[in-house]
Amino acid sequence: MSRSAHPAGPRHADVLPEGHYSAPPADLNALDPKVWAQTVTRDVDGVATVGGLDVKTIAEQYGTPAYVLDEADFRARARAWRSAFGADADVFYAGKAFLSRAVVRWLHEEGLNLDVCSGGELATALSAGMPADRIAFHGNNKSVAEIHRAVEAGVGRIVLDSFQEIVRVAHIARELGRRQRVQIRITVGVEAHTHEFIATAHEDQKFGIPLAGGQAAEAVRRALQLDSLELIGIHSHIGSQIFDMSGFEVAAHRVVGLLKDVRDEHGVELPEIDLGGGLGIAYTSDDDPREPHEIAKALTEIVTRECESARLRTPRISVEPGRAIVGPTAFTLYEVGTIKPLDGLRTYVSVDGGMSDNIRTALYDAEYSVALVSRTSDAEPMLARIVGKHCESGDIVVKDAFLPSDLAPGDLVAVPATGAYCRSMASNYNHVLRPPVVAVNDGEARVIVRRETEEDLLRLDVG
Ligand code: LLP
């Protein structure tokens, strides 16, 4: 991910060099199943449909912009992860990608566990009936109140992220008369993004306790001494949008190395290892993500091999996919407002949302695709940039995309693969109201998170 973008957006001269972008796709009307939710297709009139419902109807009933989520696809992906890992492993959906009470219920029904990282996420999970013992509580700076609530609720594990937290959780658990199951999150000196990873001795970041310098071993020592903690394992999360499994290989090697040291020093074989999330999805047709069963097979083999060579019993594995489950299941539906062709450059297409509903393009230089979905078109492709309605030139949703040159105000366009980290990172910048999440299944749509209203905004503003 590049961080080279100008803070205020692209400079005027920041025009991509000739030939930088790929050629227009052979068929602008095609909806590549790699990037679109499973049930997305076009009806006989050329209007895109999801779960059997066409986008024009969805736009009429629920307005735009809207996140439209394919419930069958969400459930299918959750099930695929669950069955790929089988009964000897646990899948914790990472709620930070997108969490709502409907999602919690789907996860519960499909047999997944849930990773939360704030009091708000915990409250959402509990209020939708997720059994507390299937919840993992994460975060590098959990407040005392949050820890108290989590222990009291009986969460299945708290992932300890610092030396202070070992003591804090132990103290709170003791006060409440509990023995809290915990894991220790360590940093193994592996940073992975997309097709590359970097393995180093140290990691310069805020999460976890470094393996380097014996710090992780010291954390284990302290946790084992505290009666109110039950140390069940070690946790490692190495990055985001990862396609290449070799980063996990190095991470597992280092985690197992620690498990071996713990066995040698304390005579204890910790029973669990959590390898975090971070598995990549296709945002454009150029991305080739792996299937859950391939990932499960690769991770299980890596851990088993490492444990065999360290002569350890293979621990129970858990993983925390967020993006890989929810990311591909939703698209953002926008209405085109204005169209500005800039001669020799590109055409700016303004939609009725923007960086408030998808900050990822501005924040990470993330790539997305876009398609005209309210009709098909045989017009020539034009190079377009999809921008929002915010007062900021960096308010870009899709940096470079091809759309038909007869695109007109009032057309509906959709950006696929926006299920993860779009609604969950949405803001009210410019007092723009956050869009709803509409779940579609079997020809029926249901609002699972409603659109924000001006009343909602003003309710917080107490004058
Ligand atoms: N487990 C832990 C401990 C994590 O920190 C994360 C993500 C996950 C699991 C889930 O990762 P996933 O499978 O969804 O990649 N806002 C960024 C991503 C930040 C992820 C932070 N942690 C984005 O939009 O790409």
Side-chain angles (χ1 to χ4, degrees), residues 42-56:
R42 286 191 192 267
D43 66 16
V44 287
D45 300 320
V47 183
T49 66
V50 55
L53 214 61
D54 76 85
V55 294
K56 281 172 138 176

Side-chain angles (χ1 to χ4, degrees), residues 124-154:
T124 305
L126 293 173
S127 80
M130 179 57 91
D133 63 356
R134 284 173 47 193
I135 298 175
F137 193 34
H138 266 282
N140 67 302
N141 189 18
K142 307 167 189 79
S143 71
V144 167
E146 285 173 327
I147 296 170
H148 197 276
R149 174 131 196 240
V151 175
E152 199 167 37

Side-chain angles (χ1 to χ4, degrees), residues 139-140 161 185-187 205-210:
N140 67 302
D161 198 271
R185 177 164 175 180
I186 66 167
T187 47
Q205 51 120 327
K206 70 173 183 169
F207 293 109
I209 298 178

Side-chain angles (χ1 to χ4, degrees), residues 351-435:
V351 295
D352 47 359
M355 65 196 300
S356 55
D357 60 68
N358 186 350
I359 190 64
R360 297 192 68 260
T361 307
L363 193 57
Y364 311 120
D365 235 355
E367 288 191 23
Y368 281 93
S369 336
V370 62
L372 169 61
V373 288
S374 45
R375 61 185 173 94
T376 51
S377 164
D378 294 327
E380 288 298 301
M382 67 172 178
L383 180 63
R385 177 166 283 179
I386 313 303
V387 296
K389 59 182 284 149
H390 293 277
C391 296
E392 181 135 342
S393 57
D395 173 26
I396 296 170
V397 181
V398 187
K399 206 165 168 189
D400 296 297
F402 287 97
L403 282 169
S405 49
D406 65 350
L407 192 77
D411 277 334
L412 298 175
V413 295
V415 174
T418 57
Y421 304 110
C422 286
R423 180 58 179 79
S424 68
M425 294 174 81
S427 75
N428 284 126
Y429 183 38
N430 296 141
H431 284 202
V432 165
L433 306 165
R434 287 178 294 178

Side-chain angles (χ1 to χ4, degrees), residues 61-377:
Q61 283 186 0
Y62 304 102
T64 55
Y67 303 102
V68 183
L69 192 153
D70 181 347
E71 178 182 339
D73 191 15
F74 184 98
R75 286 179 180 272
R77 286 176 202 273
R79 258 196 311 273
W81 276 87
R82 183 60 252 146
S83 71
F85 278 87
D88 297 330
D90 297 300
V91 180
F92 286 78
Y93 168 80
K96 66 205 82 185
F98 171 63
L99 197 64
S100 77
R101 288 195 275 192
V103 162
V104 173
R105 283 185 212 108
W106 300 339
L107 292 166
H108 189 187
E109 286 164 16
E110 301 298 343
L112 274 75
N113 299 353
L114 180 62
D115 141 12
V116 300
C117 67
S118 71
E121 288 186 359
L122 179 62
T124 305
L126 293 173
S127 80
M130 179 57 91
D133 63 356
R134 284 173 47 193
I135 298 175
F137 193 34
H138 266 282
N140 67 302
N141 189 18
K142 307 167 189 79
S143 71
V144 167
E146 285 173 327
I147 296 170
H148 197 276
R149 174 131 196 240
V151 175
E152 199 167 37
V155 298
R157 60 178 67 161
I158 294 182
V159 183
L160 303 172
D161 198 271
S162 64
F163 282 99
Q164 286 89 354
E165 207 167 79
I166 297 173
V167 183
R168 251 174 231 163
V169 174
H171 180 73
I172 292 167
R174 199 175 53 224
E175 270 186 350
L176 290 169
R178 302 285 179 89
R179 188 150 193 257
Q180 178 62 50
R181 287 158 61 88
V182 294
Q183 289 190 337
I184 294 177
R185 177 164 175 180
I186 66 167
T187 47
V188 292
V190 172
E191 214 197 300
H193 294 292
T194 315
H195 298 287
E196 294 168 319
F197 79 97
I198 313 164
T200 60
H202 299 274
E203 234 175 322
D204 189 359
Q205 51 120 327
K206 70 173 183 169
F207 293 109
I209 298 178
L211 188 61
Q215 292 198 58
E218 176 59 20
V220 169
R221 217 168 280 138
R222 293 191 195 176
L224 285 174
Q225 280 166 5
L226 294 160
D227 291 340
S228 57
L229 300 183
E230 179 188 350
L231 180 62
I232 58 166
I234 301 297
H235 183 287
S236 152
H237 170 78
I238 58 172
S240 293
Q241 185 61 359
I242 304 167
F243 293 130
D244 173 5
M245 301 304 285
S246 47
F248 287 102
E249 188 138 14
V250 178
H253 175 74
R254 294 183 178 175
V255 171
V256 171
L258 175 64
L259 294 182
K260 182 171 175 291
D261 292 347
V262 171
R263 193 258 329 263
D264 294 347
E265 184 181 338
H266 307 281
V268 174
E269 289 200 29
L270 296 178
E272 296 197 22
I273 163 173
D274 191 310
L275 293 170
L279 284 314
I281 62 163
Y283 284 103
T284 72
S285 297
D286 294 336
D287 295 325
D288 278 310
R290 293 183 177 221
E291 294 295 322
H293 68 267
E294 294 175 86
I295 293 162
K297 186 165 176 283
L299 291 181
T300 310
E301 277 173 10
I302 292 167
V303 174
T304 307
R305 196 176 55 235
E306 291 295 330
C307 288
E308 269 167 15
S309 73
R311 295 182 190 287
L312 283 167
R313 269 193 303 276
T314 306
R316 188 177 176 86
I317 299 173
S318 50
V319 286
E320 297 170 339
R323 183 190 328 259
I325 292 178
V326 70
T329 68
F331 57 82
T332 315
L333 187 59
Y334 299 106
E335 186 180 288
V336 173
T338 61
I339 298 177
K340 284 184 198 166
L342 298 186
D343 283 349
L345 293 173
R346 69 186 101 238
T347 297
Y348 276 76
V349 175
S350 296
V351 295
D352 47 359
M355 65 196 300
S356 55
D357 60 68
N358 186 350
I359 190 64
R360 297 192 68 260
T361 307
L363 193 57
Y364 311 120
D365 235 355
E367 288 191 23
Y368 281 93
S369 336
V370 62
L372 169 61
V373 288
S374 45
R375 61 185 173 94
T376 51
S377 164

